[in-house]
Amino acid sequence: MKGTIRFELRQEKKQKSGKVPIGLIYSIKGQRKRYSTGEVIFTFNWDAETQRGKYVSKKEVKIIEPNLPAASQLTEIEINEINNNLDAITVTIDNHEKDFIRKAVPFSSQMIIDLLNESKTPTLKQEDASNFIYSFIDQYIEDHSATRVKGSLGVYRALKVHLKAYEEHFNKRVTFSEIDYKFFQAFQNFLIQKRDLADTTVAKQLSTLKTFLGYARMHDVAINERYRDFKIKRQNLEVIALTRGEFESLLALDLSQNKRLRQVRDVFCFSCVTGLRYSDLKQLKREHIKDTEIMITVTKTKEKLSIPLSKYSQDILNIYLDNHSPLPVIAATNMNKYVKELCKLAGIKEPTEIVRYKGVERIATVYPKYELISIHTGRKTFATLSLENGMSAEEVMECTGHSDYKSFKRYVKVTEERKKLVIAKAWGAIN
């Protein structure tokens, strides 16, 4: 006599992700026992009639669960893997039953479940979760959600989306063990040719993937070390910063009749003379201001920073002495929008060429400078003008919190170019 097998969703054990565990009920001679398959699935991906997973297109999911991120949705490959595992459990039970019948040994539902537990390789699902990069990305995001600034993990979610697209395009599962030099080359080409990404974005995605491989190695996941041979090509991006004249023109702008732009100008110029990021401008409190300096723990790096106040920064703070907050910082989206409007009003319109690459394709676009300016330009302006005014690179880095000269040296290059222009203007260009 054989038993009956039924797979069902364990709704009472629904996970935070929205997925529900798939449970097994094995019955024989009126005895029912439960078994955990180790698989999880979204309710809308489950077909109760067939007791198997079903693929739901992204378009349909958007209607069913409009708030579910694309990166979390199950691909057709993942659904097939879930079903294959359920089929494998069914076959295993059938083999155990046949073995008992062949040996004429009476068996109970508990005996079958015990054999399932014994035959189940404890490391199998762990290896799947570790090698299968999507699960590991989810683990990485969860592990770092408490220590990373909100929104900074977006690049990791984007990587998950691109990897899923790669998988669907080539109908091939991506695992850590298969990611080698050849994979990096293929993934890079895919991002450029099929995802239409610029080289800067491609480089960011590839470096993020390398971060995962290093993280996986620290968690004893078997990886292919050949990936290390792949060198990521990074484009040197333009540094958009205000000149001294442009900065002074902003300060001199009469905004007495425009409170909105006046406050944006004050916050932006404060960034220009302190080097503070938007996140630190936003968290700035009265207790951070100590006589002649700002002492603050940086939001992004969690490092303590000491920035001496100058006449410029002190004058701006004095404007808002009667306010609860030292500065009238508004939402970043509005700040970036109004900074462009402000700089256009100040006549900061110098044509500025921006060059980007998509593989071998060179894309050059010329913008009026004000269109390229955001609140983060204030930090870049502080670095470049401080260097031009005689501060050493080490001194500026102490104020900005840069710990890596490699990422800071592009500011030095910019000021060297400006010095050449100034000397040429004052003493004549070389013929």
Side-chain angles (χ1 to χ4, degrees), residues 196-405:
D196 197 31
L197 300 182
D199 284 9
T200 50
T201 306
V202 171
K204 184 66 175 176
Q205 290 297 306
L206 296 178
S207 64
T208 300
L209 182 52
K210 281 199 169 188
T211 298
F212 277 116
L213 295 177
Y215 184 73
R217 188 190 305 108
M218 289 187 291
H219 284 73
D220 298 321
V221 176
I223 61 174
N224 192 323
E225 295 291 340
R226 291 297 303 276
Y227 85 90
R228 291 172 174 269
D229 296 331
F230 187 87
K231 304 300 180 185
I232 300 173
K233 296 179 181 178
R234 290 182 172 83
Q235 181 185 349
N236 292 323
L237 301 180
E238 303 85 354
V239 176
I240 305 299
L242 300 186
T243 64
R244 185 58 182 254
E246 290 167 341
F247 172 72
E248 296 290 352
S249 70
L250 275 182
L251 286 178
L253 204 58
D254 183 6
L255 298 171
S256 55
Q257 304 303 312
N258 193 327
K259 181 181 178 181
R260 171 176 60 87
L261 287 185
R262 184 173 72 250
Q263 292 185 341
V264 169
R265 187 262 309 274
D266 291 342
V267 174
F268 179 64
C269 286
F270 192 83
S271 177
C272 290
V273 296
T274 61
L276 286 176
R277 298 179 179 87
Y278 170 80
S279 56
D280 294 319
L281 293 168
K282 188 175 181 180
Q283 70 145 333
L284 189 65
K285 295 181 176 61
R286 295 287 176 195
E287 53 264 35
H288 294 143
I289 302 168
K290 312 289 186 183
D291 297 326
T292 60
E293 64 181 344
I294 296 172
M295 298 192 71
I296 193 170
T297 300
V298 177
T299 302
K300 182 177 180 180
T301 64
K302 307 297 187 294
E303 297 290 331
K304 290 186 176 180
L305 202 61
S306 173
I307 307 170
L309 291 170
S310 65
K311 181 181 182 302
Y312 288 105
S313 52
Q314 187 63 68
D315 286 348
I316 293 172
L317 289 174
N318 289 342
I319 298 173
Y320 302 98
L321 284 177
D322 295 332
N323 291 16
H324 175 70
S325 299
L327 294 170
V329 182
I330 60 176
T333 303
N334 290 334
M335 178 70 74
N336 287 327
K337 178 182 176 182
Y338 298 153
V339 161
K340 289 176 174 57
E341 181 183 345
L342 176 69
C343 291
K344 182 179 181 180
L345 192 62
I348 304 174
K349 303 176 181 178
E350 179 186 0
T352 305
E353 183 181 57
I354 299 296
V355 178
R356 293 292 181 268
Y357 289 87
K358 286 184 180 178
V360 296
E361 181 186 3
R362 181 181 186 272
I363 303 171
T365 311
V366 177
Y367 301 90
K369 189 172 181 179
Y370 67 84
E371 287 190 8
L372 303 173
I373 296 174
S374 66
I375 183 62
H376 195 65
T377 307
R379 180 171 167 80
K380 297 175 181 178
T381 297
F382 173 79
T384 56
L385 293 187
S386 294
L387 289 167
E388 289 182 4
N389 289 336
M391 289 178 66
S392 68
E394 291 77 11
E395 290 168 336
V396 179
M397 289 171 68
E398 279 292 319
C399 292
T400 60
H402 280 91
S403 58
D404 180 16
Y405 183 76

Side-chain angles (χ1 to χ4, degrees), residues 101-120:
I101 293 171
R102 181 176 55 82
K103 295 177 180 178
V105 175
F107 61 94
S108 65
S109 56
Q110 185 62 59
M111 292 168 68
I112 294 293
I113 296 301
D114 287 344
L115 285 172
L116 278 179
N117 286 323
E118 289 175 12
S119 62
K120 185 179 182 182

